C-alpha cells in the first residue's frame, strides 16, 4: 500500500484571506494610501494614521490634509471632496491628485521629496496585500507604534518609529537594513517576518 504524505496545515503561517470582499472598500483603502504618498512626495511633512484617516501635516500648507479611507473623502480646512468615484485607469492616481489640488485650492508641486521610508513601505504593504489578505495598518498601543493586522480577528505584528518590527512570536528585527531594497521587496520581507502566510517566508529563517 502506498502512503501519500499530507501537507501539514500550520495555522500560524497561513493567511485566511478576506472572506467578504467589498470592492469599493478595498479600492478606497488602497487609493487613500496612494494619494497620501503623492502628497508626501510633493510636500515635506509628517504623517500619522488613525483608525479611519491618514493625516498629513505638510509644509507650506496652512491646514492638515485628512484622507478618510472609510468614506473616500479628503478634507483640507473647510473644504471636502470625495475621490473614490473620480478615479479612472486612464488618468491614474497622478491625474486624480491634480484634480484634488484644484478642488482644494492647493498649488501643484512637482515631486521633489522622497517619502519617509516607513510610509513608503506601508503603501506597498497595502497595495500588494490588502485586497487579498485584508491587511490594515492601525495605531499600536504605544505612541509611534503601528500594528499591521490581517482582518479584524487575524494575526498581527508591530512596527515602531525607530524601525523595529516585532511579530506575534516575540521576534524583533531592524527593518532599516532593507531601506536600500525596492519598497515592494521590503514590504514583502515585513509580511514574511510576521509569518502571515506560508508563501512569504520569514527573512530571518
Amino acid at each position: 500500500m502506498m502512503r501519500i504524505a499530507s501537507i501539514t496545515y500550520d495555522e500560524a503561517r497561513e493567511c485566511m484571506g478576506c472572506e467578504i470582499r467589498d470592492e469599493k472598500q478595498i479600492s478606497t483603502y488602497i487609493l487613500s494610501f496612494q494619494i497620501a504618498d503623492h502628497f508626501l512626495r510633493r510636500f515635506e511633512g509628517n504623517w500619522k494614521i488613525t483608525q479611519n484617516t491618514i493625516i498629513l501635516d505638510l509644509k507650506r500648507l496652512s491646514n492638515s490634509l485628512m484622507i478618510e479611507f472609510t468614506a473616500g473623502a479628503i478634507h483640507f480646512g473647510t473644504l471636502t471632496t470625495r475621490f473614490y468615484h473620480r478615479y479612472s485607469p486612464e488618468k491614474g492616481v497622478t491625474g486624480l491628485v491634480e484634480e484634488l489640488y484644484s478642488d482644494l485650492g492647493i498649488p501643484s508641486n512637482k515631486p521633489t521629496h522622497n517619502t519617509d521610508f516607513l510610509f513608503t513601505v506601508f503603501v506597498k504593504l497595502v497595495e500588494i496585500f490588502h485586497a487579498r489578505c485584508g491587511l490594515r495598518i492601525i495605531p499600536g498601543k504605544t505612541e509611534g507604534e503601528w500594528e499591521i493586522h490581517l482582518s479584524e480577528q487575524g494575526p498581527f505584528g508591530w512596527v515602531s518609529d525607530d524601525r523595529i518590527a516585532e511579530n506575534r512570536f516575540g521576534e524583533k528585527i531592524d527593518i532599516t537594513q532593507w531601506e536600500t531594497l525596492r519598497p515592494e521587496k521590503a514590504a514583502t520581507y515585513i509580511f514574511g517576518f510576521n509569518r502571515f502566510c506560508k508563501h512569504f517566508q520569514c527573512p530571518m529563517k
Side-chain angles (χ1 to χ4, degrees):
M1 184 176 72
M2 183 176 68
R3 292 181 178 272
I4 300 175
S6 62
I7 297 174
T8 303
Y9 176 74
D10 184 355
E11 187 177 2
R13 297 182 64 85
E14 186 68 89
C15 169
M16 299 301 290
C18 291
E19 293 182 5
I20 301 174
R21 295 174 184 265
D22 184 324
E23 293 300 330
K24 179 180 178 181
Q25 191 177 62
I26 289 170
S27 298
T28 303
Y29 190 71
I30 296 171
L31 193 56
S32 296
F33 276 83
Q34 292 172 328
I35 290 171
D37 186 53
H38 270 255
F39 273 98
L40 283 169
R41 289 183 186 281
R42 300 191 186 199
F43 298 91
E44 282 188 86
N46 301 314
W47 58 271
K48 65 179 178 180
I49 304 167
T50 69
Q51 291 285 347
N52 301 307
T53 308
I54 302 171
I55 301 173
L56 306 178
D57 290 312
L58 304 174
K59 294 182 179 179
R60 301 195 305 278
L61 297 187
S62 56
N63 295 288
S64 296
L65 197 69
M66 294 182 287
I67 303 171
E68 195 177 352
F69 45 73
T70 51
I74 186 167
H75 309 276
F76 181 68
T78 59
L79 300 175
T80 297
T81 186
R82 297 188 179 276
F83 56 82
Y84 169 74
H85 68 285
R86 297 169 59 180
Y87 173 82
S88 70
E90 292 74 28
K91 61 187 174 188
V93 179
T94 301
L96 174 59
V97 169
E98 293 295 339
E99 292 181 1
L100 295 175
Y101 280 141
S102 177
D103 290 353
L104 300 172
I106 296 174
S108 179
N109 263 8
K110 292 182 179 179
T112 56
H113 305 289
N114 293 323
T115 310
D116 175 83
F117 164 71
L118 187 57
F119 192 81
T120 301
V121 170
F122 282 175
V123 172
K124 291 303 176 184
L125 275 166
V126 169
E127 286 179 343
I128 298 169
F129 299 110
H130 180 65
R132 180 173 56 216
C133 305
L135 182 143
R136 299 188 72 82
I137 299 169
I138 60 177
K141 294 180 180 179
T142 61
E143 184 69 26
E145 180 183 76
W146 307 102
E147 186 175 293
I148 302 170
H149 212 286
L150 291 191
S151 69
E152 291 187 9
Q153 303 298 325
F156 50 86
W158 302 268
V159 178
S160 61
D161 267 349
D162 57 3
R163 309 297 193 261
I164 301 298
E166 180 179 358
N167 62 28
R168 64 191 187 281
F169 306 105
E171 298 169 327
K172 295 184 179 182
I173 195 167
D174 185 348
I175 65 173
T176 57
Q177 62 185 295
W178 301 328
E179 285 194 50
T180 57
L181 301 177
R182 290 179 291 112
E184 52 268 32
K185 186 71 172 178
T188 301
Y189 276 6
I190 292 172
F191 194 82
F193 171 70
N194 280 283
R195 302 185 208 174
F196 289 140
C197 177
K198 67 180 181 181
H199 301 295
F200 295 88
Q201 299 300 313
C202 175
M204 292 174 61
K205 303 300 179 183

